[in-house]
Amino acid sequence: MYDVIFNTHDVVLLMTAYQCILFALLLLTIKRDKYIRNVFLAFFLLQQAAIPLDILISFGAEFRHIAIKWSPDLFYVFGFGYWLEGPLLLWYTRSLIYKDYRLRLKDIFYLLPFIAYAGYQLIFYYSLDVSDKVSIQEEYDLSVAPQIMNYVTLFRELFRVALGVICLIEIKRYTQHIRTNFSDIDKIDLTWLKILVIGFLAIRFWAVLVAAMIILAISFGISTNFEIMGLIGNYTTFFMVSVLIFFGLGHSSVFEGLEQRQTPSEEPAKDEPEQVKEKITPELIAQVTQYMETEKPYLTPALTLEKLAIQMRIPARLLSNIINRHFNCHFFEFINSYRIDEAKCMLSNQNQSDKTVLDIMLDVGFNSKATFNTLFKKKVGMTPSEYRKSVNTI
């Protein structure tokens, strides 16, 4: 009879690690534009592989004893993944959002918990003799382990949650940016990135709950089945990794990123040009309105705030303020409102009856039929085809 080394729960951990390692290697061997993004995502996946391996070595019913015999140095080494996967996910998110993203000196701040944890293990565990390490692992019992380590685990999970929240803030900020600066956002797809961040953030919240339950059970004697909660987290992670890898890996794309120097915590420079500080006057509003009506720049599909500001010879920030404060909308809504009005004129014009709705959509600057129909119906109350039919029957 063969001894059973891995049970079903262990196999799930191994499969999670296998998937992450396999696709991390695939990403590192694919050479394409913005390779730095692949590097961040690959190393994030490698850390995701390290976490289930750490759980398997530390808590595997049978494999823990085998790991002790192989080498007690296997313990804790994969635990570094907990401290690294948060920063790597944040850097991957930023590499998608910022133009030519590169790590900077202040990014070391996110590695301080990892450095502290690594230093602690090197001093208090890895510097010991092999026999001492074996004794520690053979006598290890979660219920009698130093209580301070339970609080370290709780801090670790809270740290991961905090970085996940920062990722969401970055995504929200970029979403705001594209609606403020671009009239055509159909090529932007952040769906996969949002699923990635929100999915792992949910897993991290669950890990915080498990860590809290362990503290309540061991330190305060409150009865709770944190083992079942841990298993639920393991299975959820396996499902999450499987879905992300096989159904969405690499499909997140961005149209044009922010400048890296603009971070969420940084405010616009105080030394702004005097033109930017200029007040919004009726003359400026009239200038913008007249230019839009006479020159019709919105007919250009790839129009951006920067390009329009150059055409009008108005500072981009001032133009943005005029659109936001006077017209009470984002640049995306401002431009596409003119496009809808232009489409209405063409649809009701008998001289344009030979043109299809699709032709008119392209003529007024839209690139997406779905976006055109959605915005048209939102403003007019009916689809372009319905509108054409209604005006021609009057």
Side-chain angles (χ1 to χ4, degrees):
M1 293 292 292
Y2 293 100
D3 294 331
V4 177
I5 299 177
F6 303 115
N7 58 32
T8 303
H9 306 315
D10 297 339
V11 171
V12 169
L13 293 172
L14 287 171
M15 291 178 65
T16 302
Y18 170 75
Q19 288 183 127
C20 291
I21 293 173
L22 179 64
F23 283 92
L25 294 176
L26 179 63
L27 282 169
L28 290 175
T29 56
I30 295 176
K31 294 186 179 296
R32 58 183 184 181
D33 292 339
K34 305 296 182 181
Y35 183 66
I36 188 66
R37 296 174 181 173
N38 286 353
V39 172
F40 285 135
L41 182 55
F43 277 90
F44 168 76
L45 289 171
L46 289 175
Q47 302 316 308
Q48 284 300 318
I51 292 173
L53 292 177
D54 179 72
I55 296 173
L56 181 63
I57 292 171
S58 300
F59 303 105
E62 296 296 332
F63 189 73
R64 175 180 174 83
H65 303 294
I66 296 175
I68 294 174
K69 293 180 181 179
W70 282 356
S71 173
D73 288 332
L74 287 173
F75 290 84
Y76 309 123
V77 67
F78 292 106
F80 295 144
Y82 289 101
W83 303 97
L84 290 174
E85 60 98 18
L88 286 166
L89 180 58
L90 176 60
W91 295 336
Y92 171 66
T93 301
R94 288 180 171 173
S95 71
L96 285 174
I97 290 174
Y98 294 103
K99 296 178 182 177
D100 302 320
Y101 181 74
R102 293 292 184 275
L103 293 181
R104 295 180 291 182
L105 185 61
K106 65 180 182 180
D107 287 309
I108 296 177
F109 170 80
Y110 299 112
L111 296 178
L112 291 181
F114 161 74
I115 294 172
Y117 176 78
Y120 175 85
Q121 295 297 352
L122 286 172
I123 295 172
F124 295 102
Y125 182 76
Y126 289 108
S127 62
L128 300 176
D129 293 334
V130 174
S131 58
D132 293 332
K133 296 175 186 175
V134 171
S135 298
I136 291 174
Q137 298 304 331
E138 289 180 341
E139 298 172 4
Y140 180 83
D141 187 341
L142 186 61
S143 61
V144 297
Q147 293 188 13
I148 186 63
M149 295 309 297
N150 294 329
Y151 288 96
V152 170
T153 299
L154 179 60
F155 168 78
R156 180 191 72 194
E157 304 306 339
L158 289 172
F159 172 70
R160 297 166 71 200
V161 167
L163 292 185
V165 171
I166 293 176
C167 289
L168 286 182
I169 293 173
E170 294 276 19
I171 294 171
K172 181 179 180 181
R173 180 172 178 265
Y174 181 71
T175 302
Q176 177 77 12
H177 165 77
I178 59 180
R179 293 186 68 85
T180 303
N181 292 273
F182 298 96
S183 63
D184 181 8
I185 62 175
D186 297 308
K187 296 181 180 179
I188 302 170
D189 180 16
L190 293 176
T191 303
W192 187 81
L193 178 61
K194 290 178 181 178
I195 294 175
L196 174 70
V197 172
I198 294 174
F200 279 103
L201 185 58
I203 292 172
R204 292 168 182 173
F205 271 116
W206 185 259
V208 168
L209 185 59
V210 173
M213 291 297 101
I214 292 175
I215 292 175
L216 291 175
I218 296 176
S219 301
F220 300 97
I222 298 176
S223 178
T224 179
N225 197 335
F226 54 81
E227 293 182 358
I228 295 297
M229 296 177 65
L231 289 175
I232 293 174
N234 295 342
Y235 278 84
T236 303
T237 302
F238 169 71
F239 175 77
M240 182 73 186
V241 169
S242 300
V243 170
L244 287 172
I245 288 177
F246 289 107
F247 295 100
L249 189 61
H251 287 290
S252 190
S253 60
V254 289
F255 186 59
E256 189 170 345
L258 298 168
E259 297 293 342
Q260 183 180 354
R261 60 181 177 81
Q262 299 173 334
T263 62
S265 60
E266 293 174 346
E267 298 295 331
K270 294 182 179 180
D271 299 328
E272 297 175 352
E274 289 300 321
Q275 305 96 301
V276 175
K277 297 180 180 179
E278 185 179 350
K279 293 182 179 180
I280 299 175
T281 63
E283 290 76 17
L284 282 171
I285 295 171
Q287 178 185 346
V288 172
T289 303
Q290 182 180 6
Y291 188 86
M292 295 298 295
E293 293 176 352
T294 57
E295 300 300 326
K296 299 184 178 182
Y298 50 83
L299 299 180
T300 302
L303 184 66
T304 66
L305 177 70
E306 188 69 28
K307 292 177 181 178
L308 183 59
I310 293 174
Q311 293 175 22
M312 292 186 179
R313 297 182 180 179
I314 296 177
R317 187 169 297 165
L318 177 57
L319 177 58
S320 179
N321 287 336
I322 293 173
I323 294 172
N324 295 338
R325 296 178 184 178
H326 177 74
F327 294 97
N328 196 31
C329 60
H330 294 302
F331 179 76
F332 173 80
E333 299 162 334
F334 176 72
I335 295 300
N336 286 306
S337 178
Y338 276 97
R339 289 173 175 171
I340 296 299
D341 289 338
E342 186 72 19
K344 287 173 61 180
C345 293
M346 296 181 68
L347 289 168
S348 59
N349 189 343
Q350 293 294 333
N351 295 329
Q352 303 280 354
S353 60
D354 59 322
K355 289 188 175 181
T356 65
V357 173
L358 183 61
D359 292 333
I360 292 175
M361 177 200 81
L362 296 173
D363 287 344
V364 300
F366 282 101
N367 284 323
S368 167
K369 185 177 180 180
T371 301
F372 176 53
N373 287 334
T374 299
L375 295 179
F376 193 97
K377 188 171 184 179
K378 181 179 180 180
K379 183 172 183 179
V380 183
M382 61 184 74
T383 65
S385 298
E386 292 171 342
Y387 178 79
R388 168 176 266 181
K389 184 177 180 179
S390 67
V391 296
N392 289 334
T393 56
I394 296 176

